Amino acid sequence: MLNRRHIRVKVMQTLYAFKGGESDDFIKDQKFLLFSIDNMYNLYLLLVSLLIEVQKRAEDDLQKKQKKHLATKEDKDPNRKFVNNQLLKLLVDNFQLNSQIETHGVTNWKLDGEYVDVIFKSIVSSDLYKDYMQTRVSDFKEDKDFIVDIFKDIIAPNDKLYDYIEDKNLTWLDDLPTVNTAILKLLRKAKTTSAEGYFTPKLYKDIDDKQYAIDLFRKTLLKRTAINKEIGLKTQNWDSERIASVDYVLLQMAICELNNFPSIPVKVTINEYLEVAKEYSTPKSSIFINGILDKLVKEYEASGALKKIGRGLL
């Protein structure tokens, strides 16, 4: 679920907030970094559980209509296509997923059920729903395509849900695009034969990614004095107050990565930090950062200081 760029963003945010020096104990900050990353999984569970609750809300809606004193023929014999949607049923009946939701204490929709109603009403009033409900039966592909569409077009862009997520956890706003993309990918590739653990993906691709987050954070802090000296030599004509704080942190991380992560290609490092700068800093930040890194890389290459392993890593 988690990619390296998002790890870099998380490290950047933690370093930006760090107020200590190289000699200070930063164990608490490292724990916060890992907690912030781990909390992405709670956001994933929150959004997937919303789909489960929407299905339950639809079931309740049908039952209430059937019990009406003056129930219509349609109320008594409703179209259950949405309630019986095969992909939703996979989520509702997935033991491992529901166990994870319970273990992580994701009970938001029991306390804040009005947001389930908001999403349910948005779905029911949509053209997607009206088109889908034209028939009473469907195959798995139609059911899956419908859920993918409502997640992409109704749930993900919902403003009230966005505000709710921001209110619950500010760091989730940065996580939201990555988590939404991961959910859409899982929904699109889901099959009736998907394994029990399919909807409970690993947060990290592998153990190396978690270690990368720790190492990037620690090494950037521990080598901050030497890194700052290098930045200072390349920005002598710049007023230090004119350099955005985020740009400075990104330069520190990029220089650390260039010199201390031999398996990461130079081009990957530069491109990744330029993309992060475009998203999180000023309009001209990527140009500034690219200029500094380009000069440093040329010097490293000339002196043989770059120690990269593997083919095509320079």
Side-chain angles (χ1 to χ4, degrees):
M1 184 191 305
L2 191 65
N3 57 49
R4 285 281 177 106
R5 182 176 300 172
H6 205 83
I7 291 175
R8 291 180 176 96
V9 169
K10 289 294 187 183
V11 173
M12 174 200 72
Q13 292 170 336
T14 308
L15 288 171
Y16 183 83
F18 183 75
K19 303 302 180 185
E22 292 175 0
S23 60
D24 292 313
D25 181 11
F26 44 80
I27 295 299
K28 288 184 179 179
D29 298 271
Q30 180 178 307
K31 286 182 178 178
F32 173 79
L33 167 65
L34 296 178
F35 171 79
S36 178
I37 294 174
D38 289 343
N39 206 27
M40 279 184 66
Y41 192 65
N42 286 338
L43 177 59
Y44 166 80
L45 293 174
L46 179 71
L47 292 174
V48 174
S49 66
L50 178 57
L51 286 171
I52 293 174
E53 293 304 318
V54 164
Q55 191 275 343
K56 293 178 180 178
R57 173 67 176 78
E59 182 74 67
D60 290 342
D61 188 63
L62 291 188
Q63 291 179 4
K64 288 178 181 177
K65 287 179 179 178
Q66 288 177 318
K67 293 177 181 178
K68 286 196 308 185
H69 179 62
L70 297 175
T72 65
K73 181 180 179 180
E74 185 179 350
D75 290 334
K76 293 178 180 179
D77 184 27
N79 185 347
R80 297 182 59 83
K81 187 175 178 181
F82 181 47
V83 170
N84 292 334
N85 181 284
Q86 295 174 70
L87 180 52
L88 286 183
K89 294 291 283 184
L90 281 181
L91 295 173
V92 172
D93 297 334
N94 190 287
F95 174 79
Q96 195 163 332
L97 172 61
N98 285 280
S99 177
Q100 286 288 299
I101 291 171
E102 183 178 350
T103 300
H104 286 258
V106 181
T107 59
N108 299 59
W109 309 129
K110 293 179 181 178
L111 302 173
D112 302 312
E114 64 269 25
Y115 290 93
V116 178
D117 289 338
V118 166
I119 296 300
F120 175 69
K121 289 175 182 177
S122 295
I123 292 171
V124 172
S125 63
S126 69
D127 290 336
L128 285 170
Y129 181 83
K130 292 171 185 175
D131 291 341
Y132 176 69
M133 298 297 284
Q134 289 295 316
T135 61
R136 284 178 169 250
V137 294
S138 57
D139 57 17
F140 184 78
K141 183 181 185 306
E142 184 186 354
D143 284 353
K144 179 171 68 173
D145 289 345
F146 174 66
I147 298 303
V148 167
D149 285 340
I150 64 170
F151 188 88
K152 175 170 58 74
D153 298 336
I154 296 175
I155 296 177
N158 186 274
D159 290 335
K160 290 184 179 180
L161 183 60
Y162 181 91
D163 291 341
Y164 175 79
I165 289 171
E166 180 182 24
D167 183 59
K168 287 299 177 182
N169 192 314
L170 190 59
T171 65
W172 275 352
L173 291 185
D174 290 317
D175 303 333
L176 195 56
T178 299
V179 172
N180 280 338
T181 299
I183 291 174
L184 278 172
K185 184 177 180 181
L186 284 173
L187 293 176
R188 285 188 176 117
K189 294 187 175 182
K191 300 177 181 178
T192 55
T193 56
S194 294
E196 177 69 25
Y198 179 78
F199 290 109
T200 51
K202 293 180 180 178
L203 179 59
Y204 294 95
K205 181 180 178 181
D206 50 46
I207 191 64
D208 290 342
D209 276 1
K210 184 174 184 178
Q211 192 59 49
Y212 165 75
I214 296 171
D215 289 345
L216 181 60
F217 173 71
R218 292 180 64 87
K219 290 180 179 180
T220 301
L221 280 181
L222 292 171
K223 299 176 183 293
R224 183 177 267 183
T225 298
I227 291 172
N228 288 349
K229 185 176 180 180
E230 288 200 70
I231 295 174
L233 291 173
K234 291 293 175 290
T235 57
Q236 291 179 348
N237 296 326
W238 286 76
D239 182 349
S240 59
E241 294 183 357
R242 289 180 57 205
I243 302 176
S245 298
V246 172
D247 293 356
Y248 214 91
V249 172
L250 290 176
L251 278 172
Q252 290 172 334
M253 292 170 61
I255 293 169
C256 174
E257 191 170 297
L258 286 169
N259 288 299
N260 296 280
F261 294 81
S263 64
I264 301 178
V266 170
K267 288 182 179 179
V268 170
T269 293
I270 293 177
N271 289 339
E272 285 293 296
Y273 286 101
L274 293 184
E275 290 302 314
V276 174
K278 289 176 184 177
E279 186 172 354
Y280 289 91
S281 197
T282 68
K284 295 183 179 180
S285 291
S286 60
I287 299 173
F288 167 69
I289 291 173
N290 187 49
I292 302 299
L293 294 180
D294 185 59
K295 291 178 183 178
L296 284 172
V297 168
K298 288 177 180 177
E299 290 182 6
Y300 293 155
E301 290 176 343
S303 65
L306 279 178
K307 306 297 182 183
K308 298 292 183 179
I309 58 176
R311 289 186 176 183
L313 293 182
L314 293 181

